[in-house]
Amino acid sequence: MKFIILSCLLAVSFAQQSAEIIHDDRVDNGDGSFSYSFSADNGLEMEVAGVPGSEGQSNMRGYYLLPLESGGFARVEFVADEAGFQPQSDLLPTPHPLPEHVHELLRIAERQRAEGITFD
């Protein structure tokens, strides 16, 4: 679903700018695997390859470029498979690092589990 939303956002961004497609390559291998790529003269581009997944879905891997307000583009690489849509980009927020005391508590809990200690 997130992939569809991002594709729509990319399409809206693309529609707001006048651009000419300079590369459009699509391959359907007939066995559920496919690939496509395109690029426009304004710098937008996307490339995706897919194969059939174990649960009937298409497993995809690829990237797309998003225009930045400051100029230039940000690259978003992604995998979409049984685990869902998994984007990776410097644009995406990341969680704050855990404080050191949390790491220490996790080490203690791991040691206790290894020793067979359990809590109800």
Side-chain angles (χ1 to χ4, degrees):
M1 182 64 171
K2 292 179 185 177
F3 178 72
I4 293 171
I5 292 170
L6 288 172
S7 295
C8 291
L9 290 172
L10 183 62
V12 168
S13 172
F14 183 73
Q16 291 177 346
Q17 302 174 10
S18 175
E20 182 177 325
I21 301 295
I22 56 177
H23 167 82
D24 186 357
D25 185 31
R26 301 162 194 251
V27 176
D28 180 355
N29 297 317
D31 61 357
S33 63
F34 63 92
S35 64
Y36 64 88
S37 63
F38 80 88
S39 58
D41 64 355
N42 64 357
L44 291 177
E45 63 182 67
M46 182 174 196
E47 187 174 303
V48 178
V51 295
S54 63
E55 299 178 18
Q57 81 287 351
S58 290
N59 288 346
M60 297 182 285
R61 177 176 302 272
Y63 75 90
Y64 51 91
L65 299 182
L66 291 174
L68 300 173
E69 287 185 18
S70 60
F73 292 87
R75 182 179 174 108
V76 178
E77 296 187 16
F78 68 89
V79 172
D81 58 15
E82 292 88 350
F85 181 71
Q86 305 151 57
Q88 293 183 339
S89 173
D90 291 339
L91 287 179
L92 300 174
T94 57
H96 294 287
L98 294 174
E100 185 53 39
H101 74 276
V102 174
H103 291 287
E104 179 61 23
L105 291 172
L106 292 172
R107 284 191 289 274
I108 292 169
E110 186 176 325
R111 187 181 73 238
Q112 289 174 338
R113 278 192 297 275
E115 294 172 356
I117 299 171
T118 59
F119 297 95
D120 292 332

